[in-house]
Amino acid sequence: MSEPSELRRDPAGGPWVIIAPRRAERPDEFAAREAAAGGLPMESCPFCPGHEGATPPETAAVREAGSVPDGPGWSVRVVPNKYPAVGTVAEPPPAAFDGGLFEVRPGAGAHEVVIETPDHNLDFSRLTSAVAGAVVRTWRDRIRALERDPGCAYVQLFKNHGRNAGASLSHPHSQIVALPVVPVRIAEEIEAAVLFRAAHGVCLHCRILEEETADGRRVILDEGGFLATAPFASRFPYEIRLQPRRHADRFVDLDDEETAALADRLRAVLGRLRRSLDDPPFNLLLHQSPPSGRGGRPDEEIAPAYHWHIEILPVLSRVAGFEWGTGIHINTVAPETAAARLRREEA
Amino acid sequence: MSEPSELRRDPAGGPWVIIAPRRAERPDEFAAREAAAGGLPMESCPFCPGHEGATPPETAAVREAGSVPDGPGWSVRVVPNKYPAVGTVAEPPPAAFDGGLFEVRPGAGAHEVVIETPDHNLDFSRLTSAVAGAVVRTWRDRIRALERDPGCAYVQLFKNHGRNAGASLSHPHSQIVALPVVPVRIAEEIEAAVLFRAAHGVCLHCRILEEETADGRRVILDEGGFLATAPFASRFPYEIRLQPRRHADRFVDLDDEETAALADRLRAVLGRLRRSLDDPPFNLLLHQSPPSGRGGRPDEEIAPAYHWHIEILPVLSRVAGFEWGTGIHINTVAPETAAARLRREEA
């Protein structure tokens, strides 16, 4: 076991960074496959049925009646990440080595993997409605569980699909990280939403949904209580935002019927993306309000102002010096063009 | 000519984005080389001597006496980018289509390419001291010239080295973009610096330089008035920050002696990176104060508080869903480890 991870804040005005030397040790299926030049033998996938011993013991699973934990018979399986970005911290927090400039916190939290199907070659868009629904319910239930830790300030759900999107294994999976700080992107979105509501008396996102629906040019899918759009200021070509029409700031408050509806919309949207652009790599991420009391403002201010959503970011271009220098992305595909193409693709 | 570019601001609380359909048309030497499977014939490089007609007419150059613009005989050559992210806008600014939510600005500005050497196969670290000095002077002079445009709020200099760093041509070059808005990253850094100075009476960066020197663990090079460090909260493995010891908020205020000293330090640092890590792809970028009066605060507040610097960001890992979702980077190489390795590599 090498050094534990820690959070450091850039004293020059940047955000938190996680220094996680342990993650450098994780195997890369794609590199291994290239080295073997003949495809990774399926037997070596730690997420395939029969290999349950290759992962840490499961924390949750959707299982056939009578099957036992860490054996086969599951349709969705949750395990701790073997190479976590953050994790349980045994040692006392290291002291910041300076009176203030160099701020350090222990990398406390949790990092879990949701194995979305036993089938190595499926992808989310081709899961059955029932299995996709079970995945989304599992996301909700695990986030709820991790939020109960009083040290947890935010739980980030994400999915990396394809090597260029940062996946190191191709077996369909998503990841959940419980963090001791509220991420800067969430804090900024909440701030914008709270200010908008203070000025206009309504939820910023409800207003955007309304205007996007009326305008229509950036709408990709409008079905079953969810709207998928190519966001007005898309940072990436074919970026997609999926959002419930009904105002709600917390994804974890969805009931089983709503998670099932969301799963079907996600399958539809990801299917359009796959067929329109020949299965591109993508990142998927969930944004919701932090757990009660940890949003930096009273819950009563955040709940009516913020609106949970999912972002899907295809990896079709490279982020380069200009973007890192400025924070301004250059996107060569207008969202109106992207939406038109994704709309044409039948569900 | 397809649609001109435009700036759009994310109504949900994100930064400006540049929508630039024209840039999708730029050729990709690396893809062409893969397609040809035998290496791109050198004759087709638009940045090589003898191909001056393949670029728009030059805006500046360092030339042999007697040579003529857009002919051979140059050692550094500046041309407009043929596929600009922003550019001169002929048409009137498009009106925002909504009273406020969806903010649009014309993509006004300039986008230039600095061809750093006639030699297709050199890289910055192996330029002669004289040529490297001429490149850095050219950066300064072109930034000065572009800042004179009253519509310019910030000029971003950057360099993408290697395909995975976003370069589409391998001939050594850097890029300069004049923008109608101050980038969010610059605004945030200035805010942090101004607040620090208000609280402590000194420049935040001068203080960091002092503490990093005293600590020593993250120092890579300390020579000729410049300090190169692996930043305390490095977002990327082997990230490097190069900064002058003498307080100055504006790179463009350097005199010729100082640009020469900077060029030599840059050669040294990039040489260490190349030799330590087998010529990795990297992004390089310059941060300085915006031109007078455009920093969002009085110049008298910014000048003593901010401190220009160069960031070098090797591309050794992939940015994935977690980073895009949170704004928090996971870095698997501690900066202390990175600095030790880059120090060992002799200059």
Side-chain angles (χ1 to χ4, degrees), chain A residues 80-221:
Chain A
N81 193 310
K82 207 168 168 179
Y83 305 93
V86 290
T88 313
V89 179
E91 61 270 60
F97 82 81
D98 170 80
L101 267 189
F102 298 93
E103 199 180 347
V104 179
R105 293 203 199 176
H111 189 164
E112 296 190 341
V113 177
V114 180
I115 308 169
E116 298 170 348
T117 161
D119 189 333
H120 187 89
N121 294 308
L122 267 188
D123 67 82
F124 197 99
S125 71
R126 292 181 291 175
L127 297 179
T128 62
S129 181
V131 172
V135 170
V136 176
R137 271 201 319 278
T138 303
W139 289 346
R140 179 198 63 190
D141 295 344
R142 288 311 302 158
I143 296 172
R144 280 183 184 168
L146 292 170
E147 285 184 343
R148 269 181 225 123
D149 179 339
C152 168
Y154 192 76
V155 180
Q156 179 64 53
L157 168 81
F158 64 102
K159 179 176 169 66
N160 301 331
H161 172 78
R163 187 187 192 181
N164 282 338
S168 53
L169 294 168
S170 64
H171 194 120
H173 68 284
S174 32
Q175 299 180 65
I176 300 178
V177 175
L179 292 163
V181 297
V182 175
V184 60
R185 282 216 54 211
I186 299 298
E188 285 168 356
E189 285 190 1
I190 288 179
E191 199 59 18
V194 167
L195 292 178
F196 186 89
R197 186 163 182 277
H200 300 94
V202 295
C203 162
L204 166 59
H205 294 261
C206 287
R207 173 69 65 81
I208 293 174
L209 288 169
E210 220 172 81
E211 299 214 3
E212 289 291 15
T213 309
D215 183 88
R217 285 177 298 164
R218 287 177 294 275
V219 171
I220 295 165
L221 183 141

Side-chain angles (χ1 to χ4, degrees), chain B residues 116-140:
Chain B
E116 298 170 346
T117 162
D119 189 333
H120 187 90
N121 294 307
L122 268 188
D123 66 80
F124 197 99
S125 72
R126 291 180 293 174
L127 297 178
T128 63
S129 181
V131 173
V135 170
V136 175
R137 272 201 317 279
T138 302
W139 289 347
R140 180 199 62 192

Side-chain angles (χ1 to χ4, degrees), chain B residues 206-231:
Chain B
C206 287
R207 172 68 63 82
I208 293 174
L209 287 169
E210 218 172 86
E211 300 214 1
E212 289 291 17
T213 309
D215 184 88
R217 285 177 297 165
R218 286 177 295 275
V219 172
I220 295 165
L221 183 140
D222 182 359
E223 202 184 328
F226 289 86
L227 188 73
T229 56

